[in-house]
Amino acid sequence: MTNEKSYNTLCFNVLNILLGKLDIQICYINRRLFNTVSLAGNLNGHSDLDKDQIVMANCAFIAKNKKTNFIFSFGHQGVDRLQKLSHYVFSIDDNKFKNIHIIIFKDSDALDEARQINKASTYKRSFFTSFYAICEKALEIDRKTYDKLLDNEQGCNKSLHNYKSLASLHKIEIIDNIPVGNKDHKIYKLAFISDDAVDILPGQFIMISTLKEQKAMSKYYKPKILTSLSESVPDILNNLQTRQISFLKRPFGIYRTYHENFDHDYLLKLNIEKELVSVLYIIKARKFEIVYKVLENGIGTNELTRLTEGDKLEILAPLGKIFDLRELVKEDIDEIHIVGGGVGIAPLVYLVQMLRYLNIKTKAFVGVEDYDALIYKNNRVKGHKGPGTDSKIYIDDLTDLGLSRSSDIFLSFLCNTDREQITDLNNVFNGNLVTEPYAEYIKQHKHLKIYTFSCGPVSMMKKVHELTAQYNIKSYVLMEKRMACGIGVCFSCVCKTIKNGETHNSRVCIEGPIIESKQIDWNE
Amino acid sequence: MNKSLPVKIKNLVLKTPLLTSSGTSGSRDEINLLQNRDRILASLGAFVTKGVSLNKSLGNKEPRIVEVRSGILNSIGLQNKGVKVFFEEDVPELQKYEIPIIVNISAGSVSEFGQLSERIKDLDKNNAISGLEINVSCPNIKKGGAAFGADPLLVEQVVREVKSRVQDSFCIITKLSPNVTDITQIGKAAVNGGTDALSMINTLRGMAIDTDKRKPILGNQIGGLSGPCIKPVGVYMVYECFRKIPECRNRSVPIIGIGGISNYYDVLEYIFAGATATGIGTQWFINTAVFEEIYKDLNDYLNKTHETIENLVGKAHENI
């Protein structure tokens, strides 16, 4: 118990470096969990929760600022207490994110276990962090105090936070495969649910098998003798002789993820200081969406269109280099811009989802062919408007994620479109490439500190690169290439890059897909 | 350790008959990215690296890969960082795998092969490397390349040159090309040159044409075909070499069978044809769990039949 108390006390003191900086004040301490003599924090004021018996009995301490009560627990307090408190906070908060339960785990393993999807009923909408993550943040803010605190501690590794998921095969089941726009657009939104948790971080992608029977075929290759070619024979066996079927998996960026117990638009309400939220984790996602365009002779994308609800496939994930958002937290950025053309917008929307979590102001420049290319009938995916309603792809989701239709979204139609159709957006540009309004915007806002991410046709990304270079804006592109393996083995997906004046063929799957645009050899 | 799975390639003891194949096994990134890293390494007898050359190579023009029916065509063009950087960056990581490492080597001339293998011997101060696989057959390098693999005299010279430079420091494997009239002639030449083992087959030369643009799809026009579609060719060539080369038949020069393996039936086919070990390549692009799956299935099969891999080598020849 003494050991536990001193760990708790240390943990509290380290966290207090961060809370102190953010002006989040401690208002209740469960003193029997700590060595009270060495506690750094002073009680300041009180919250409406620190008289609440259930909270007082089960939590470790409470902190608050004007907007939010933060109720902290330690992971080792026992599942019963954690669950009880988690459910209670969930019930009193009423989806407003004014009361936030945060559980601090000792290490990454315990943190990871709590984030598995089978823990959704235990931990409801609790947030998680680890001692290591807190230490790292504290170290960044106030090295001196941090060193003093940890001076006498044994076994505390000072270079700490290396928490990420490794790639593996996951079974998935299709929820929905909805066409977007009219049949000429050939765009689909595919939603699926994974058997287990998949943690896809900004910049990462998945490889998906497009043919549902594929895996089974390769494993049980021994040919079966068919007695009759009845309707029960799977489609692929009928056509196997004449039609080429896919052999490799296909790479896709994620469009959106959904987390159990978190509403589709929870980011509209969540409002935690970015330095605190950058050390917090939530339950891993289970529902995913991708957006794809069917290519004329695309074997894989054509196979994807045949998938229907309940079909089972396999993905390899997560893949690709993680874009470290902590860089953006440190840098104190005014605005993030995303500039996307066509289905290239999709992975940028996911990036926005991750960025909004950190509360960074975001502007979206979206370029599509015409108005129809946005419209789809939304029917099944939970958390949308209801059956059969018209939805606008990209636009509705960006709104869900907290972007304002009147000031944050800039929509360009390549083909002339009846302006009357779009009444709820202020910034609509007709007959324009997305780069034109973007050029205008950054010209007018050159005093701001901006990071730009773009994805779409190469000519578009090149233009964005040139524009951003002109104003010294840090600019990244999401590259797309033909891929075979996705894990750096085959060297198929290379793009020409320049580092220290030397040309390289960089693998998009390992060194990308997010690559700083100035590293790309755009003359290639 | 299971007693029925280990095999011997000359003095090299492999705990299982499953190897990665050069070109499809990268050098260090891929396995460390995967959650099943430890299971993969437990299933492998040895790790065969991607091709390494004396100097850095940027590789071929894009596109480098095209999917075909039941396989892929590639023309990567041996992109690699050169042997020096390979030893600085990759070898220390590879050593952590704790399984034998076989380096696949490529060069444009007999003397360059000699230089490269001697360089490896010099650089390998920690004895991290167990073997060299001589790539006399990569069809993508315009200089030499295909010409080497098809000329018995040149193959013999290359093997003799490499062997004389490294002596017995490494197990020498010669990887044969299927793009020849009679593979047993090339195999015999490699044996005469002193190779310790043969591996076969490399990719088959092929091409795919874009019917809209009416031109070859690959940046390099031609490429190498791999995947399940080439397995019958590989099995046949292993069978022929085992039958016609006495050193293969008495297994003083064992064969490593490669080409289109996707499951344990395929491994067995190669073993029955005369292979002592097998390399798995393209399937690994589709199924990152392929090694552990085959390992398990093979193990179950041997337990059920009470046999060992060593005793099954070349069985198909007895049953005719």
Side-chain angles (χ1 to χ4, degrees):
Chain A
M1 196 60 195
T2 357
N3 268 343
E4 198 128 284
K5 273 189 178 179
S6 42
Y7 161 77
N8 291 353
T9 308
L10 176 69
C11 199
F12 175 90
N13 288 341
V14 173
L15 180 65
N16 211 23
I17 298 177
L18 172 59
L19 297 182
K21 186 192 172 188
L22 301 175
D23 222 12
I24 298 173
Q25 306 194 324
I26 308 290
C27 46
Y28 167 78
I29 295 171
N30 192 343
R31 290 186 186 274
R32 64 183 174 80
L33 294 176
F34 299 94
N35 297 331
T36 38
V37 273
S38 42
L39 270 185
N42 295 317
L43 292 191
N44 262 319
H46 58 84
S47 74
D48 40 344
L49 285 174
D50 47 0
K51 294 279 179 298
D52 190 311
Q53 290 305 319
I54 299 178
V55 177
M56 280 169 71
N58 294 295
C59 83
F61 56 98
I62 301 171
K64 66 153 196 167
N65 59 12
K66 285 197 185 96
K67 299 171 294 189
T68 322
N69 295 315
F70 300 96
I71 302 112
F72 285 90
S73 302
F74 290 113
H76 55 81
Q77 279 179 267
V79 177
D80 286 351
R81 271 182 202 283
L82 296 176
Q83 180 168 356
K84 199 168 177 188
L85 189 56
S86 184
H87 281 243
Y88 184 69
V89 174
F90 182 73
S91 68
I92 58 166
D93 186 54
D94 193 26
N95 219 6
K96 293 196 176 71
F97 288 94
K98 290 200 180 310
N99 299 291
I100 287 175
H101 181 220
I102 300 173
I103 306 174
I104 308 167
F105 291 98
K106 273 183 183 162
D107 56 45
S108 310
D109 287 347
L111 167 67
D112 202 61
E113 207 187 306
R115 296 184 63 214
Q116 297 302 322
I117 45 190
N118 60 7
K119 295 289 181 348
S121 56
T122 314
Y123 295 127
K124 282 293 177 187
R125 211 171 50 214
S126 297
F127 288 72
F128 312 112
T129 186
S130 71
F131 178 54
Y132 291 149
I134 295 168
C135 281
E136 193 186 49
K137 198 76 210 173
L139 188 63
E140 194 185 298
I141 296 169
D142 183 354
R143 179 161 208 130
K144 227 166 120 188
T145 313
Y146 174 83
D147 280 345
K148 215 154 77 192
L149 282 171
L150 267 82
D151 229 13
N152 307 317
E153 293 299 320
Q154 297 294 310
C156 274
N157 185 355
K158 289 196 183 182
S159 75
L160 317 150
H161 186 158
N162 191 16
Y163 170 58
K164 63 165 187 179
S165 305
L166 295 168
S168 63
L169 295 168
H170 301 272
K171 301 256 175 280
I172 61 162
E173 188 177 320
I174 303 300
I175 303 172
D176 222 329
N177 194 10
I178 310 172
V180 179
N182 57 44
K183 65 180 188 331
D184 293 334
H185 292 114
K186 295 185 172 175
I187 295 169
Y188 287 76
K189 183 162 80 71
L190 181 79
F192 60 86
I193 186 164
S194 164
D195 269 9
D196 52 0
V198 191
D199 204 17
I200 297 168
L201 296 173
Q204 294 195 294
F205 65 98
I206 62 169
M207 298 280 288
I208 182 165
S209 60
T210 54
L211 193 67
K212 50 192 165 180
E213 290 88 351
Q214 190 176 45
K215 175 88 189 287
M217 291 267 307
S218 70
K219 181 152 187 191
Y220 305 104
Y221 168 68
K222 288 233 146 162
K224 285 192 186 106
I225 296 160
L226 297 171
T227 46
S228 72
L229 283 173
S230 66
E231 277 179 26
S232 66
V233 176
D235 182 35
I236 60 146
L237 287 183
N238 269 330
N239 293 319
L240 207 53
Q241 301 299 319
T242 51
R243 198 182 79 208
Q244 185 169 344
I245 57 172
S246 69
F247 180 67
L248 301 164
K249 290 191 172 69
R250 299 293 193 270
F252 285 99
I254 291 290
Y255 175 54
R256 282 204 66 179
T257 62
Y258 298 89
H259 304 257
E260 213 88 348
N261 300 328
F262 287 83
D263 286 349
H264 66 102
D265 57 354
Y266 78 97
L267 286 163
L268 283 171
K269 296 166 195 153
L270 186 69
N271 185 10
I272 309 178
E273 286 67 17
K274 63 182 178 184
E275 290 207 85
L276 177 58
V277 87
S278 71
V279 301
L280 299 184
Y281 296 86
I282 60 173
I283 188 158
K284 289 183 184 181
R286 191 177 181 197
K287 274 184 198 163
F288 300 84
E289 286 174 353
I290 62 170
V291 178
Y292 64 94
K293 189 179 172 73
V294 182
L295 304 173
E296 186 82 11
N297 293 315
I299 297 160
T301 48
N302 272 297
E303 279 171 1
L304 281 179
T305 63
R306 293 189 200 105
L307 298 173
T308 53
E309 185 184 356
D311 281 347
K312 292 190 165 71
L313 302 166
E314 187 182 70
I315 61 167
L316 178 65
L319 301 167
K321 191 166 133 188
I322 298 162
F323 183 83
D324 196 344
L325 293 180
R326 287 175 296 172
E327 181 189 337
L328 305 183
V329 176
K330 276 182 215 160
E331 286 274 334
D332 223 2
I333 292 163
D334 294 313
E335 283 180 6
I336 299 274
H337 295 167
I338 60 157
V339 186
V343 287
I345 304 154
L348 293 170
V349 172
Y350 184 57
L351 195 66
V352 172
Q353 184 180 340
M354 307 302 276
L355 290 166
R356 289 303 295 183
Y357 188 57
L358 296 177
N359 252 321
I360 303 178
K361 199 169 167 191
T362 309
K363 303 278 174 187
F365 297 82
V366 172
V368 291
E369 215 177 311
D370 50 28
Y371 179 75
D372 281 352
L374 294 171
I375 305 300
Y376 68 98
K377 287 269 183 246
N378 201 342
N379 40 15
R380 286 194 204 99
V381 177
K382 192 186 146 196
H384 276 278
K385 286 176 201 149
T389 53
D390 266 354
S391 296
K392 291 189 200 71
I393 198 157
Y394 315 131
I395 309 298
D396 286 354
D397 288 291
L398 287 169
T399 313
D400 262 6
L401 298 171
L403 267 62
S404 145
R405 289 187 183 230
S406 57
S407 57
D408 295 334
I409 302 175
F410 299 76
L411 180 60
S412 305
F413 295 121
L414 192 58
C415 308
N416 268 316
T417 301
D418 186 3
R419 178 69 178 80
E420 298 296 299
Q421 286 178 297
I422 316 270
T423 51
D424 55 347
L425 283 169
N426 273 358
N427 305 296
V428 180
F429 305 88
N430 225 333
N432 262 325
L433 286 167
V434 64
T435 45
E436 291 163 32
Y438 186 58
E440 193 53 36
Y441 185 90
I442 50 175
K443 198 172 143 195
Q444 286 171 12
H445 295 81
K446 51 188 165 204
H447 55 285
L448 296 178
K449 179 150 190 179
I450 298 166
Y451 268 51
T452 297
F453 296 87
S454 67
C455 184
V458 174
S459 58
M460 186 214 87
M461 292 193 288
K462 185 180 178 184
K463 184 74 191 165
V464 173
H465 164 69
E466 288 163 0
L467 287 170
T468 49
Q470 213 178 320
Y471 296 104
N472 273 323
I473 293 170
K474 195 136 179 169
S475 164
Y476 293 86
V477 293
L478 277 70
M479 289 302 280
E480 187 192 36
K481 286 281 173 185
R482 260 171 204 262
M483 273 183 197
C485 70
I487 52 175
V489 179
C490 71
F491 285 77
S492 302
C493 61
V494 294
C495 76
K496 284 254 183 306
T497 55
I498 302 167
K499 279 174 229 159
N500 310 321
E502 240 187 289
T503 303
H504 295 266
N505 275 325
S506 298
R507 289 165 290 173
V508 168
C509 68
I510 292 280
E511 285 150 85
I514 296 192
I515 300 176
E516 199 174 348
S517 73
K518 69 177 184 196
Q519 288 183 2
I520 308 259
D521 182 357
W522 292 104
N523 299 319
E524 204 10 56
Chain B
M1 198 200 285
N2 187 308
K3 285 199 180 73
S4 52
L5 278 171
V7 293
K8 269 180 89 176
I9 302 290
K10 269 285 151 85
N11 298 322
L12 204 57
V13 178
L14 310 179
K15 69 177 187 293
T16 85
L18 308 178
L19 277 62
T20 56
S21 300
S22 78
T24 52
S25 59
S27 23
R28 71 186 152 107
D29 296 312
E30 73 284 1
I31 288 188
N32 289 331
L33 276 177
L34 295 169
Q35 208 168 49
N36 57 341
R37 174 191 189 271
D38 295 346
R39 292 199 297 277
I40 294 171
L41 294 176
S43 313
L44 284 175
F47 186 88
V48 183
T49 70
K50 216 168 162 63
V52 175
S53 54
L54 201 53
N55 300 310
K56 168 186 163 175
S57 161
L58 276 179
N60 286 339
K61 263 206 315 208
E62 281 182 89
R64 292 174 163 195
I65 201 138
V66 48
E67 195 179 55
V68 295
R69 240 169 260 187
S70 210
I72 51 174
L73 271 173
N74 85 81
S75 70
I76 308 302
L78 287 172
Q79 177 174 346
N80 80 99
K81 297 173 278 194
V83 67
K84 187 166 168 276
V85 182
F86 171 73
F87 266 88
E88 286 163 8
E89 293 181 359
D90 291 357
V91 173
E93 289 298 315
L94 293 174
Q95 265 186 294
K96 293 180 192 157
Y97 291 176
E98 294 179 338
I99 54 175
I101 304 300
I102 295 165
V103 181
N104 180 282
I105 54 170
S106 275
S109 66
V110 174
S111 64
E112 199 183 321
F113 265 115
Q115 257 177 292
L116 174 58
S117 41
E118 191 162 335
R119 197 74 208 281
I120 292 176
K121 192 184 155 191
D122 293 343
L123 288 167
D124 186 28
K125 300 212 162 50
N126 302 327
N127 292 324
I129 309 299
S130 304
L132 299 183
E133 183 180 56
I134 306 172
N135 178 10
V136 292
S137 49
C138 182
N140 296 325
I141 295 287
K142 283 179 182 145
K143 211 170 25 165
F148 269 112
D151 183 340
L153 266 177
L154 271 175
V155 170
E156 190 177 329
Q157 279 176 24
V158 168
V159 176
R160 183 161 290 134
E161 177 69 16
V162 171
K163 195 77 194 167
S164 77
R165 298 282 190 116
V166 303
Q167 307 294 340
D168 290 327
S169 314
F170 305 123
C171 176
I172 302 296
I173 301 161
T174 310
K175 185 165 185 177
L176 303 184
S177 166
N179 303 311
V180 296
T181 315
D182 182 358
I183 196 164
T184 63
Q185 292 299 320
I186 315 292
K188 274 179 194 159
V191 171
N192 290 341
T195 195
D196 297 315
L198 295 174
S199 61
M200 64 190 77
I201 56 177
N202 207 317
T203 54
L204 283 150
R205 241 173 296 163
M207 181 184 275
I209 291 173
D210 185 326
T211 49
D212 290 332
K213 294 179 187 155
R214 304 181 175 185
K215 63 169 201 173
I217 298 177
L218 290 174
N220 188 47
Q221 285 103 48
I222 56 161
L225 180 65
S226 65
C229 56
I230 72 164
K231 193 194 70 182
V233 181
V235 171
Y236 156 73
M237 289 187 166
V238 168
Y239 186 91
E240 280 297 277
C241 286
F242 190 84
R243 189 166 73 90
K244 288 197 179 150
I245 304 171
E247 291 83 353
C248 291
R249 183 127 206 175
N250 69 25
R251 294 174 41 202
S252 56
V253 178
I255 298 173
I256 299 165
I258 307 167
I261 294 176
S262 359
N263 55 43
Y264 86 100
Y265 297 115
D266 297 341
V267 170
L268 287 177
E269 267 194 74
Y270 272 102
I271 304 276
F272 295 155
T276 299
T278 53
I280 295 148
T282 304
Q283 187 61 25
W284 152 257
F285 291 174
I286 310 167
N287 179 10
T288 48
V290 66
F291 290 108
E292 62 212 69
E293 280 176 15
I294 295 183
Y295 175 83
K296 185 188 169 295
D297 290 346
L298 211 52
N299 219 350
D300 291 350
Y301 177 84
L302 295 173
N303 285 339
K304 208 169 67 188
T305 55
H306 305 291
E307 279 162 321
T308 66
I309 292 287
E310 289 278 5
N311 291 336
L312 293 175
V313 175
K315 273 282 175 225
H317 297 263
E318 295 169 20
N319 297 330
I320 293 170

